[in-house]
Amino acid sequence: MPSTKPWLSLRPRQFPVSLRIDRRVPAVLVALVAIALLSLIFNVSQGEYPVPPLEVVKTILGFPASPDYAFVVNTLRLPRALVALLVGMGLATAGTILQGLTRNPLAAPEIIGINSGASLVAVALIVLFPQVAVGWLPLAAFLGGLGAAIAIYLLAWNGGSSPMRLILVGIGLTSLTGAFTSLMITFGNIYDVSQALVWLTGSVYGRSWEHLWPLLPWLVIFLPLTLVLARDLDTLNLGDNLAQGLGSRVEWTRSLLLLCTVALAGASVATAGTIGFVGLMAPHLGRQLVGPSHAGLIPVAALTGACIVELADLVGRLAFAPIELPCGVITAVIGAPYFLWLLYRDGQGSAQRGHRNR
């Protein structure tokens, strides 16, 4: 007789970690991996020089039918497609952590100020120090995001770091860093400014292996760390007082999770610019698929974000070919109405709760 328990418990022998996930998670993960791989293959196959999808698979596996296929796939298109997947995973995971930390479904790296801090330092590097190698961008953006996170944390501190104060201070800091970014763009060299503007729109255009390798270590280190901290994030969702009563070191855990957010968002922003609304949409879609438990939600949201950015890049390439739209434009076209709908739904829910409490 099949089990009716809604949860699966994972206890790897090699690691002192125990995770409890919804029973829907494995099937959803398999489906999302399939969607991500299919979208990657189709993305790589499309362009001015079409490559049949089967030939794309053979070329990736090392059996190209011709040298032209190998050059087009491995040199021109595959790194771009992989960067789109990894950036989507980083932004989505950062958004999931932030929504859990602040207990606010409208929180996202681009809204709370982390992306804007990363963008400010990255644009400064592009405009003021154009001779610096692209490999330094992830570190620069990480430092910018870290500086923004520290500023948010200190300004929001009042005997503790209230989730609401974190959001309000983050919104203010976003406006301030945005003003400084605009100032540098106004007075910078026209060539460097044009590069910065394309980067700020959010795009994986022209991304190569040179951009992929600096991004990869950040995800390899911090994505597993977020999974290790998933249970602590669930505990923080219960409220600070209850989390402390359950033995959680609230401020230490919150600081470590903020560090993960900064690392993932900063590296993603440095590589592909400010691709908006991925960190907002992916966690919501993930909750609809597997529920709110972060042990299952984090990997599902990460793969959802990967699919969103990959498909946005594909649509941007094909919708008005031969003109390419940055994938950040596509995610904004989808994400802005979605954000407004979330605001409307949250407002309706608050009104109903207030009516019931009368």
Side-chain angles (χ1 to χ4, degrees):
M1 182 176 178
S3 174
T4 57
K5 293 181 180 180
W7 301 101
L8 292 172
S9 295
L10 304 178
R11 296 183 178 88
R13 294 182 179 180
Q14 297 84 355
F15 305 100
V17 178
S18 176
L19 299 175
R20 192 182 71 159
I21 62 174
D22 192 286
R23 281 190 173 273
R24 296 171 290 180
V25 171
V28 171
L29 286 177
V30 170
L32 288 172
V33 168
I35 294 171
L37 290 177
L38 288 174
S39 59
L40 180 143
I41 292 169
F42 192 68
N43 198 0
V44 172
S45 71
Q46 300 302 304
E48 292 186 12
Y49 185 82
V51 180
L54 184 58
E55 295 301 329
V56 171
V57 176
K58 289 181 180 179
T59 303
I60 293 174
L61 295 177
F63 305 101
S66 74
D68 289 343
Y69 284 171
F71 176 74
V72 171
V73 171
N74 293 329
T75 303
L76 299 180
R77 296 181 186 168
L78 182 60
R80 170 178 177 162
L82 289 174
V83 165
L85 287 179
L86 295 179
V87 165
M89 293 177 72
L91 292 174
T93 306
T96 305
I97 297 170
L98 275 180
Q99 290 180 13
L101 277 179
T102 60
R103 301 194 294 276
N104 188 320
L106 301 179
E110 63 269 18
I111 294 172
I112 203 174
I114 292 174
N115 276 12
S116 59
S119 297
L120 175 62
V121 177
V123 168
L125 200 66
I126 294 171
V127 174
L128 303 180
F129 306 98
Q131 70 278 8
V132 176
V134 69
W136 289 101
L137 263 180
L139 179 60
F142 168 74
L143 293 176
L146 181 61
I150 292 173
I152 292 167
Y153 203 79
L154 292 177
L155 291 171
W157 184 269
N158 185 19
S161 53
S162 161
M164 182 55 67
R165 286 198 299 271
L166 287 173
I167 292 176
L168 294 176
V169 171
I171 291 172
L173 192 66
T174 298
S175 300
L176 182 63
T177 52
F180 280 111
T181 302
S182 300
L183 187 66
M184 281 190 292
I185 288 174
T186 301
F187 293 102
N189 177 275
I190 186 63
Y191 174 75
D192 299 325
V193 165
S194 63
Q195 282 189 309
L197 286 174
V198 171
W199 182 86
L200 281 171
T201 306
S203 174
V204 292
Y205 175 79
R207 296 305 181 265
S208 63
W209 297 109
E210 183 185 13
H211 299 86
L212 176 68
W213 298 126
L215 170 65
L216 192 60
W218 298 85
L219 272 73
V220 169
I221 294 171
F222 287 97
L223 274 178
L225 182 58
T226 60
L227 286 174
V228 172
L229 295 170
R231 292 183 64 181
D232 297 297
L233 189 53
D234 286 336
T235 304
L236 289 179
N237 267 328
L238 301 174
D240 290 2
N241 293 333
L242 186 53
Q244 287 175 342
L246 293 172
S248 176
R249 294 180 294 176
V250 171
E251 296 303 335
W252 166 253
T253 303
R254 185 173 286 143
S255 301
L256 196 55
L257 285 165
L258 270 176
L259 177 65
C260 292
T261 302
V262 170
L264 294 169
S268 301
V269 168
T271 305
T274 50
I275 302 177
F277 296 103
V278 177
L280 178 72
M281 292 188 291
H284 282 278
L285 296 173
R287 287 189 198 93
Q288 292 176 5
L289 292 171
V290 298
S293 177
H294 286 92
L297 175 60
I298 288 174
V300 168
L303 285 172
T304 302
C307 293
I308 289 173
V309 177
E310 190 70 51
L311 291 172
D313 183 45
L314 177 61
V315 172
R317 291 177 58 208
L318 299 182
F320 299 98
I323 299 173
E324 288 194 17
L325 292 178
C327 56
V329 173
I330 306 300
T331 59
V333 168
I334 300 170
Y338 188 74
F339 180 67
L340 293 175
W341 177 77
L342 288 175
L343 283 173
Y344 172 77
R345 189 186 67 174
D346 189 57
Q348 290 291 101
S350 299
Q352 290 177 1
R353 288 192 295 270
H355 181 73
R356 285 196 299 265
N357 292 334
R358 288 179 182 176

